[in-house]
Amino acid sequence: MLLNKPTTRRKFLLGALLALPLSDLVFKGLTAAQAAEMAAPELADYKPIFFSADEWQFILAAADRLIPAGGKGKAPGALETNVPIFIDQQLHSPEFGAEIYMQGPFDVHAPATMGYQIPFTPQQMYQTGIKLVNQWTQSNFQKPFHELSLEEKDAVLTKVNKNDGIDFAALGEENLKASQFFGQLLADTKHGYLADPMYGGNKGMKAWIAIGFPGARASFTEWVKQHNVPYPLGPVSLLGESA
């Protein structure tokens, strides 16, 4: 989603780094992608602009389990690529979800072919879903989701995904299914992992590098029909960073 946002500290630093002469970058031993990664915020230092402190802890923990580090080929995880930052910045924008028709009537039991039938914006869905999952874990584990063990987190997310054992209606919310919240969270996590770095995630184009995606290169048609051949050129971002 293309959003017009005011200049941030990250964008200012990125512009300053990319404005350096190429000879300076070479002298410093930096590629454009490395310079961009330096300008990107450190996840540990980032202050969320949409999520509350408790909600932020949930997002960090959930994203880490949805795309954990060390997968096939030791691919980077959601935390290494700033996926939570992507989600936070998207939800902070009033344009995110603005296209969803919210006048009703809604039928939360309608089949998926009937389209969006949830009387919540994505922002409200996150706030409601996080609150209910934490409510369930507090009742069953006496601690919030982010304090659970890795195995417990995986088990809880599985229950949320399958509507199996965590019933939002039983927790007081009849207009949202646990699986619907999980679907939104998973989709946004994937988007943050694979989107262009200019939107806050995919820090240093690490996800693109891991899967061999060329990014926004102007031309790579000569490689399209070369199956099972590793793509030898690194990706290029929309801002012209190369890795």
Side-chain angles (χ1 to χ4, degrees), residues 7 12 19 34 38 45 66 120 134 140 146 151 160 179 185 192 198 204 231-232 243:
T7 299
F12 175 80
Q34 289 170 331
M38 286 177 60
D45 300 329
L66 292 176
F120 293 136
N134 275 333
N140 288 270
H146 72 272
E151 293 76 14
V160 174
S179 60
L185 173 62
M198 70 183 292
Y231 182 67

Side-chain angles (χ1 to χ4, degrees), residues 122-195:
Q123 290 85 346
Q124 293 169 325
M125 190 187 302
Y126 269 95
Q127 292 169 332
T128 302
I130 292 172
K131 180 185 70 174
L132 294 177
V133 174
N134 275 333
Q135 180 179 329
W136 189 90
T137 60
Q138 285 284 6
S139 177
N140 288 270
F141 294 98
Q142 292 72 55
K143 59 183 68 173
F145 175 82
H146 72 272
E147 292 183 4
L148 301 179
S149 68
L150 298 183
E151 293 76 14
E152 290 169 341
K153 289 174 185 174
D154 290 347
V156 169
L157 289 174
T158 299
K159 289 178 179 294
V160 174
N161 179 33
K162 296 182 176 181
N163 287 315
D164 179 16
I166 299 182
D167 183 1
F168 280 5
L171 296 171
E173 181 51 70
E174 298 182 351
N175 294 317
L176 179 66
K177 295 180 180 179
S179 60
Q180 292 170 327
F181 166 59
F182 181 89
Q184 182 75 41
L185 173 62
L186 178 61
D188 291 337
T189 300
K190 291 178 179 179
H191 294 162
Y193 191 68
L194 296 171

Side-chain angles (χ1 to χ4, degrees), residues 64 67-78 80 193:
D64 182 47
I67 306 182
K72 184 177 181 180
K74 296 184 178 180
E80 295 174 85
Y193 191 68

Side-chain angles (χ1 to χ4, degrees), residues 12-233:
F12 175 80
L13 291 173
L14 174 59
L17 283 167
L18 295 183
L20 290 172
L22 181 59
S23 59
D24 286 357
L25 287 173
V26 173
F27 176 76
K28 295 176 182 294
L30 296 174
T31 65
Q34 289 170 331
E37 183 170 349
M38 286 177 60
E42 290 294 330
L43 187 59
D45 300 329
Y46 179 78
K47 304 299 181 184
I49 51 180
F50 172 79
F51 292 113
S52 68
D54 289 341
E55 292 168 344
W56 183 240
Q57 290 302 315
F58 178 96
I59 292 298
L60 292 173
D64 182 47
R65 299 316 302 151
L66 292 176
I67 306 182
K72 184 177 181 180
K74 296 184 178 180
L79 301 189
E80 295 174 85
T81 51
N82 280 1
V83 167
I85 294 178
F86 168 88
I87 297 175
D88 182 63
Q89 293 183 351
Q90 291 294 296
L91 291 173
H92 178 67
S93 169
E95 297 180 36
F96 188 70
E99 77 284 358
I100 299 175
Y101 182 77
M102 297 299 298
Q103 298 303 311
F106 300 99
D107 181 359
V108 297
H109 302 294
T113 53
M114 296 299 292
Y116 194 88
Q117 294 287 331
I118 306 171
F120 293 136
T121 63
Q123 290 85 346
Q124 293 169 325
M125 190 187 302
Y126 269 95
Q127 292 169 332
T128 302
I130 292 172
K131 180 185 70 174
L132 294 177
V133 174
N134 275 333
Q135 180 179 329
W136 189 90
T137 60
Q138 285 284 6
S139 177
N140 288 270
F141 294 98
Q142 292 72 55
K143 59 183 68 173
F145 175 82
H146 72 272
E147 292 183 4
L148 301 179
S149 68
L150 298 183
E151 293 76 14
E152 290 169 341
K153 289 174 185 174
D154 290 347
V156 169
L157 289 174
T158 299
K159 289 178 179 294
V160 174
N161 179 33
K162 296 182 176 181
N163 287 315
D164 179 16
I166 299 182
D167 183 1
F168 280 5
L171 296 171
E173 181 51 70
E174 298 182 351
N175 294 317
L176 179 66
K177 295 180 180 179
S179 60
Q180 292 170 327
F181 166 59
F182 181 89
Q184 182 75 41
L185 173 62
L186 178 61
D188 291 337
T189 300
K190 291 178 179 179
H191 294 162
Y193 191 68
L194 296 171
D196 190 274
M198 70 183 292
Y199 301 114
N202 194 11
K203 182 180 180 181
M205 292 180 278
K206 294 175 183 175
W208 288 356
I209 294 170
I211 65 175
F213 180 64
R217 281 192 177 275
S219 175
F220 56 92
T221 55
E222 65 272 23
W223 294 96
V224 172
K225 294 183 179 180
Q226 298 192 43
H227 304 296
N228 300 316
V229 177
Y231 182 67
L233 305 177

